[in-house]
């Protein structure tokens, strides 16, 4: 990996870098703007910089390259799914979705994942490596250029566990939010985690007004531990305590993801216990119909059951929505696209 990733550093670091190589600080700002506002890729195109500087930067090999490998367009909605090729030939995926309020991109934070959730395709081959800030940024910039859209929302819900790549994810957030760069509001960014409790406290202390979404998937420790190994390390009580801390320190409402699996977490007792757990939070629950993958033999809850579960939670005053299934004709959630591609070739 590169010592310095010129297209994955903060504005401050970019200024410092230029000063360190004997240039003026404002050159760092120009470089930062070239990458993060103009979405530049080829440094030779950064015409604001003097030619000799451009050439030495191009030779430095400190600019991370990401290429679009393949794009899949849904026939039922405007969703587009992308596979990207990284410099070391690893492959990652991201998704562009259109909502009433604008375009949203779901990006990956790691190549693979080591969290081991039983129903999730991303983790089946384990963790290969963390993504750099530049690789996360480029998923967004390349999609925007390719689809000719400006995105307004970002979700860190692709492959990988964002809190398992904490420093790079934090740097990514800083860069994408920077007003002199893309200038995305923190409020329009959602970070999804399987529940790495110590990191939830760390994140709360950063005091960024992003939305934190917890993949809960069961209100009972023993059931949760069966489908999510992280639950063996942190009990639901500890997780809820961390969520309350997060809500109190950031003032942000918590979101919970809950993938409904027939007979595992969609029973009446599950609904009741969920209501009990969330009673002290101002929570929102997003119900996700399970996307079947061949490595997991659980079944998705029937549509009526999903509606019933939703109605129950709403009747207990818990804000509940069902995640709309976007682009379901082009391979569904989390790591399935990459995995299908790797298995085919
Ligand atoms: N590592 C993060 C981000 C992962 S993906 C996390 O665990 O939150 C985003 C959501 O999709 C998570 O809630 C994850 O549990 C869920 N998910 C993964 N595979 C799924 C599948 N096959 N069907 C439904 N939801 C799935």
């Amino acid at each position: 990996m590169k010592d310095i990733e010129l297209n994955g550093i903060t504005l401050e670091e970019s200024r410092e870098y230029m000063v360190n190589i004997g240039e003026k600080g404002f050159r760092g700002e120009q470089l930062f703007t070239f990458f993060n506002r103009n979405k530049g890729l080829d440094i030779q195109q950064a015409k604001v910089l003097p030619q000799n500087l451009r050439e030495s930067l191009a030779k430095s090999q400190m600019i991370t390259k990401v290429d679009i490998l393949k794009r899949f367009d849904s026939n039922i909605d405007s969703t587009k799914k992308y596979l990207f090729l990284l410099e070391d030939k690893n492959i990652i995926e991201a998704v562009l979705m259109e909502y009433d309020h604008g375009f949203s991109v779901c990006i990956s934070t790691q190549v693979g994942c080591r969290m081991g959730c039983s129903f999730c395709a991303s983790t089946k081959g384990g963790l290969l490596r963390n993504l750099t800030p530049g690789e996360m940024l480029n998923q967004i910039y390349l999609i925007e250029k390719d689809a000719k859209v400006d995105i307004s929302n970002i979700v860190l819900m692709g492959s990988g566990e964002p809190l398992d790549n904490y420093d790079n994810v934090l740097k990514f957030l800083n860069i994408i939010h920077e007003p002199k760069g893309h200038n995305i509001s923190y409020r329009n960014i959602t970070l999804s985690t399987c529940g790495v409790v110590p990191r939830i406290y760390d994140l709360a202390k950063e005091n960024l007004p992003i939305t934190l979404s917890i993949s809960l998937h069961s209100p009972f420790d023993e059931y949760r531990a069966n489908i999510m190994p992280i639950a063996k390390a942190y009990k639901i009580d500890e997780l809820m305590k961390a969520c309350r801390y997060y809500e109190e320190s950031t003032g942000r409402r918590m979101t919970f993801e809950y993938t409904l699996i027939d007979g595992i977490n969609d029973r009446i007792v599950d609904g009741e216990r969920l209501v009990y757990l969330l009673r002290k939070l101002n929570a929102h629950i997003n119900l996700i119909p399970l996307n079947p993958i061949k490595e997991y033999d659980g079944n998705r809850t029937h549509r009526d059951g999903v509606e019933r579960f939703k109605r129950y939670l709403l009747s207990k005053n818990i804000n509940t929505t069902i995640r709309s299934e976007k682009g379901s004709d082009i391979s569904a959630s989390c790591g399935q696209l990459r995995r299908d591609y790797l298995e085919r070739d």
Side-chain angles (χ1 to χ4, degrees):
M1 278 291 116
K2 301 170 172 63
D3 291 341
I4 300 181
E5 185 186 45
L6 291 177
N7 53 345
I9 50 178
T10 64
L11 176 59
E12 215 32 61
E13 290 168 335
S14 199
R15 284 200 192 104
E16 274 166 26
Y17 173 76
M18 284 296 178
V19 171
N20 285 341
I21 61 166
E23 297 286 336
K24 293 266 189 301
F26 74 89
R27 293 289 181 208
E29 193 166 319
Q30 290 175 329
L31 187 71
F32 184 88
T33 310
F34 172 73
F35 288 127
N36 297 292
R37 176 163 288 207
N38 307 346
K39 301 163 201 167
L41 291 168
D42 176 5
I43 192 70
Q44 296 293 3
Q45 302 299 318
K47 300 285 188 222
V48 288
L49 302 176
Q51 193 176 349
N52 59 349
L53 179 57
R54 268 184 271 149
E55 267 158 25
S56 70
L57 293 177
K59 278 202 216 99
S60 72
Q61 308 220 323
M62 291 194 290
I63 300 169
T64 303
K65 205 162 133 21
V66 179
D67 286 311
I68 294 177
L69 178 65
K70 222 168 162 37
R71 189 184 83 203
F72 303 82
D73 295 349
S74 170
N75 290 318
I76 49 178
D77 56 41
S78 54
T79 302
K80 294 183 196 315
K81 302 199 175 182
Y82 289 84
L83 283 176
F84 297 97
L85 185 63
L86 308 179
E87 281 173 18
D88 62 1
K89 306 288 176 225
N90 272 310
I91 292 172
I92 52 167
E93 64 186 85
V95 188
L96 173 70
M97 292 159 289
E98 190 175 4
Y99 292 94
D100 295 343
H101 57 262
F103 286 95
S104 179
V105 175
C106 172
I107 65 163
S108 295
T109 54
Q110 295 181 313
V111 184
C113 182
R114 62 185 181 124
M115 294 297 137
C117 300
S118 58
F119 49 84
C120 179
S122 295
T123 194
K124 294 303 169 193
L127 173 68
L128 297 184
R129 70 169 173 87
N130 283 329
L131 293 183
T132 64
E135 287 166 335
M136 292 182 241
L137 294 163
N138 266 301
Q139 294 173 59
I140 295 169
Y141 302 155
L142 287 169
I143 288 181
E144 290 190 312
K145 290 213 291 196
D146 178 72
K148 299 186 178 55
V149 298
D150 264 320
I151 59 120
S152 51
N153 286 70
I154 298 170
V155 291
L156 275 57
M157 284 190 190
S159 293
E161 166 50 51
L163 298 187
D164 191 35
N165 183 14
Y166 188 82
D167 293 342
N168 287 350
V169 164
L170 239 71
K171 195 178 271 200
F172 160 80
L173 293 174
N174 175 316
I175 298 170
I176 200 76
H177 169 259
E178 170 56 50
K180 291 205 161 88
H182 201 314
N183 194 16
I184 303 262
S185 158
Y186 281 132
R187 291 173 188 277
N188 292 356
I189 302 177
T190 299
L191 185 156
S192 174
T193 177
C194 62
V196 188
V197 167
R199 291 307 201 182
I200 296 177
Y201 285 102
D202 292 342
L203 190 64
K205 286 173 193 144
E206 307 283 347
N207 211 2
L208 308 173
I210 61 171
T211 301
L212 182 62
S213 187
I214 308 284
S215 298
L216 190 57
H217 305 325
S218 171
F220 296 109
D221 281 320
E222 58 286 16
Y223 279 78
R224 194 164 183 263
N226 266 335
I227 48 176
M228 302 180 72
I230 188 84
K232 294 181 189 134
Y234 308 107
K235 300 281 170 252
I236 291 171
D237 275 354
E238 293 173 70
L239 180 57
M240 289 300 140
K241 217 170 128 202
C243 291
R244 281 199 294 280
Y245 182 82
Y246 190 88
E247 199 179 72
E248 277 160 22
S249 20
T250 63
R252 299 288 289 160
R253 182 172 77 166
M254 296 294 305
T255 300
F256 291 87
E257 290 152 278
Y258 198 93
T259 293
L260 283 163
I261 311 170
D262 187 33
I264 303 287
N265 61 10
D266 61 352
R267 304 158 304 166
I268 290 170
V269 285
D270 294 308
E272 287 170 351
R273 182 73 189 170
L274 206 48
V275 170
Y276 174 78
L277 285 181
L278 302 183
R279 71 199 181 285
K280 289 188 193 155
L281 287 166
N282 179 15
H284 176 111
I285 289 206
N286 207 215
L287 300 176
I288 312 174
L290 177 74
N291 272 305
I293 62 165
K294 67 173 187 310
E295 295 90 343
Y296 180 64
D297 60 6
N299 293 314
R300 61 163 54 190
T301 302
H302 190 272
R303 187 83 213 168
D304 297 345
V306 177
E307 288 292 343
R308 210 175 311 121
F309 207 81
K310 177 183 167 188
R311 277 199 306 276
Y312 174 75
L313 295 176
L314 283 174
S315 76
K316 300 291 177 188
N317 292 321
I318 296 196
N319 216 298
T320 310
T321 47
I322 299 173
R323 172 164 314 160
S324 59
E325 292 184 80
K326 295 207 171 273
S328 53
D329 55 328
I330 41 173
S331 195
S333 73
C334 247
Q336 259 174 283
L337 204 60
R338 166 175 171 264
R339 198 154 171 79
D340 289 352
Y341 186 87
L342 293 177
E343 283 177 0
R344 236 193 1 252
D345 289 75

